[in-house]
Amino acid sequence: MMASDGTRFAEISETTSFLYHFSGLPDHRQPGKVDYPLPEVLLLILLAVLAGAEAFTDIARFGERKIGLLRRFRPYVNGTPSHDHLGDIFATLDARAFQLCFVAWVAALTNTPAQVIAIDGKTSRRSYQTKGSKEAIHMVSAFAARQRIVLGQVKVSEKSNEIVAIPALLDMMSIEGAVVTIDAMGCQRDIATKIIEKKADYIVALKGNQGTLREDVEVFVDEQKALKYKDTTISTFETIDADHGRIETRNYTVIHDVGWLQARHQWPGLSAVVVVESRREISGKITDETRFYITSLVMLAAVVGPMIRAHWAIENSLHWVMDMVFRDDECRVRTDNAPANFATCRHIAYNLTRKAPGKDSIRLRRKTAGWDDEYLASLVAA
C-alpha cells in the first residue's frame, strides 16, 4: 500500500495501549472529511513531546522527520498535520473527556493503588491571552507521592477555583483506601466529606481560611505544650535531614483527643490534629516554623509524619520537573481547550518517562528519546 507522498508502508508491527484508553475520546470533526485520524494525532503529539517538543511547530516538524517511526504504529496515509491544524484539533477536543481518558489510562498503568495522593495546583504562566483578557490556565493535579505518577488533573481559570476543582478531580478517580493530602486551600467541609464518602482519608493543612478552627487548634496546642500535653493523648515522631550544609529537624506531634474540637466545629471525619515543628539551620542561621493539620486518620505520628512529608513530592518531583524539564511555564499554547489538553499530554509523557526502567533522570531520558527512535518507541509500546 502506498502513502499519498509515494512511500510504501511498512507492516505495522508495534502497538501501544495508550491509544486503546483514548479510543472513546469524542472527535467533533465532520465525518468523511478527516484527513488525520484522532489516534494518529494523539500518538504524534505524545511521541513528539516525549522527544522534547514544546509547541505545535515542534510537533509538526517532528511529524515530517519521523514519519517512518510513526508508521510503525499507525498508517498515517496522509502524513501528519501542519502546526496550525494541530492547534485547531487540540483546541476543540473536550478537555474533561480527555482528562477522564487519562485517568482510565493511569489506572491501567499502575500496578498498585496509590497510598498517598497529593493534590495541588500549578499555573501555566504563558497560557494567558492578552486579547480578550484570558487568564493563564491553572491545573489542579493528583499525584501518587510514592509512585511518582500523575493520577489525574482538571483545569480551572484561577487558583481560587481550586475549591471547586478538587471535588471534580476526586470524582474522576478511585481513591478507596488512600490518604489524600491537600494544602490549606483545600481545607473545606465539602472536600473532606467527598474524601470520606469515597472511603479514603485526608490530611489537610490548616490556616486561617476556616474561621476559628485554626485559632482554636493553636490556642489548645499552646496550652497543652505548656502543660507538656499531660491533659491529652499524643504520639510523636522526629526526623533529621542533613545535606549541603543544611540541617532540618522536624518534630511531628499527633493529638488524638479531639472530641472537644469536633463538638465545637463538627468537621467531617475529624480524628486528630497534627502539629509539625520545623527547625532549619543553614550557615549558622536558624529558622523555626510551626504548621497545623487536621486528619481523619487514627494513626500514630510515626505513620502520619512521613505522609505529610510525602505531600511535597508534588512540588519537587512534579511541578519542578514540569517547569525545568518540560518547560511548562514557557509553553505558549493558548487557544480554547488546547492549553489544558497539551498539559494533559505533558503529564502522559511525564508518567511514561518516570515509569521507564533505569536510573537516568527524566531530563536525560527525554533527550535519549529525541536521539534514539528505538528508545522512544519503547516508551509507548505495549
Side-chain angles (χ1 to χ4, degrees), residues 88-165:
D88 290 342
I89 294 170
F90 245 45
T92 57
L93 280 180
D94 185 295
R96 177 172 170 77
F98 200 19
Q99 290 152 9
L100 286 170
C101 291
F102 175 91
V103 170
W105 170 72
V106 172
L109 181 71
T110 53
N111 297 321
T112 56
Q115 294 173 299
V116 177
I117 299 174
I119 293 181
D120 194 25
K122 182 184 182 303
T123 300
S124 295
R125 302 189 185 283
R126 293 291 185 93
S127 61
Y128 68 89
Q129 285 183 292
T130 303
K131 184 178 180 180
S133 300
K134 182 180 178 181
E135 296 181 350
I137 67 161
H138 188 76
M139 298 291 288
V140 178
S141 301
F143 189 67
R146 292 176 180 170
Q147 293 97 327
R148 300 294 197 269
I149 292 291
V150 183
L151 300 175
Q153 63 281 299
V154 294
K155 185 197 79 167
V156 295
S157 59
E158 56 189 25
K159 185 173 178 61
S160 62
N161 285 339
E162 285 188 19
I163 295 170
V164 177

Side-chain angles (χ1 to χ4, degrees), residues 279-296:
R279 167 162 288 193
R280 178 177 294 186
E281 300 179 45
I282 303 177
S283 302
K285 182 179 180 181
I286 298 177
T287 304
D288 293 318
E289 182 183 14
T290 300
R291 302 189 302 277
F292 301 96
Y293 298 82
I294 54 174
T295 180
S296 62

Side-chain angles (χ1 to χ4, degrees), residues 89-281:
I89 294 170
F90 245 45
T92 57
L93 280 180
D94 185 295
R96 177 172 170 77
F98 200 19
Q99 290 152 9
L100 286 170
C101 291
F102 175 91
V103 170
W105 170 72
V106 172
L109 181 71
T110 53
N111 297 321
T112 56
Q115 294 173 299
V116 177
I117 299 174
I119 293 181
D120 194 25
K122 182 184 182 303
T123 300
S124 295
R125 302 189 185 283
R126 293 291 185 93
S127 61
Y128 68 89
Q129 285 183 292
T130 303
K131 184 178 180 180
S133 300
K134 182 180 178 181
E135 296 181 350
I137 67 161
H138 188 76
M139 298 291 288
V140 178
S141 301
F143 189 67
R146 292 176 180 170
Q147 293 97 327
R148 300 294 197 269
I149 292 291
V150 183
L151 300 175
Q153 63 281 299
V154 294
K155 185 197 79 167
V156 295
S157 59
E158 56 189 25
K159 185 173 178 61
S160 62
N161 285 339
E162 285 188 19
I163 295 170
V164 177
I166 292 172
L169 179 58
L170 292 169
D171 278 336
M172 290 182 177
M173 303 182 297
S174 174
I175 62 171
E176 183 174 349
V179 178
V180 179
T181 62
I182 316 174
D183 67 13
M185 180 64 76
C187 188
Q188 305 290 328
R189 293 176 184 275
D190 289 347
I191 292 174
T193 299
K194 176 73 68 175
I195 293 169
I196 297 299
E197 288 176 349
K198 291 180 74 70
K199 299 181 180 180
D201 285 290
Y202 62 78
I203 302 173
V204 181
L206 189 58
K207 289 190 178 178
N209 60 334
Q210 272 299 324
T212 61
L213 179 60
R214 186 188 189 283
E215 181 181 341
D216 287 349
V217 168
E218 189 169 4
V219 169
F220 177 77
V221 169
D222 287 343
E223 291 175 349
Q224 290 303 311
K225 281 178 66 176
L227 298 171
K228 297 184 178 180
Y229 294 105
K230 69 176 184 178
D231 293 336
T232 189
T233 302
I234 67 168
S235 60
T236 61
F237 179 64
E238 181 182 81
T239 62
I240 300 175
D241 296 324
D243 63 89
H244 304 292
R246 175 187 62 87
I247 301 175
E248 186 159 359
T249 304
R250 300 181 188 89
N251 288 291
Y252 299 88
T253 301
V254 176
I255 302 173
H256 300 279
D257 294 335
V258 292
W260 61 273
L261 187 64
Q262 185 68 311
R264 181 172 170 82
H265 292 276
Q266 298 295 308
W267 192 270
L270 178 63
S271 295
V273 167
V274 187
V275 185
V276 182
E277 297 170 289
S278 302
R279 167 162 288 193
R280 178 177 294 186
E281 300 179 45

Side-chain angles (χ1 to χ4, degrees), residues 35-36 41 44-45 55-64 78-90:
D35 291 330
Y36 307 105
V41 173
L44 163 65
I45 291 174
F56 289 129
T57 50
D58 304 349
I59 296 168
R61 180 60 58 86
F62 177 91
E64 294 169 2
N78 297 307
T80 56
S82 68
H83 71 275
D84 286 338
H85 200 159
L86 284 167
D88 290 342
I89 294 170
F90 245 45

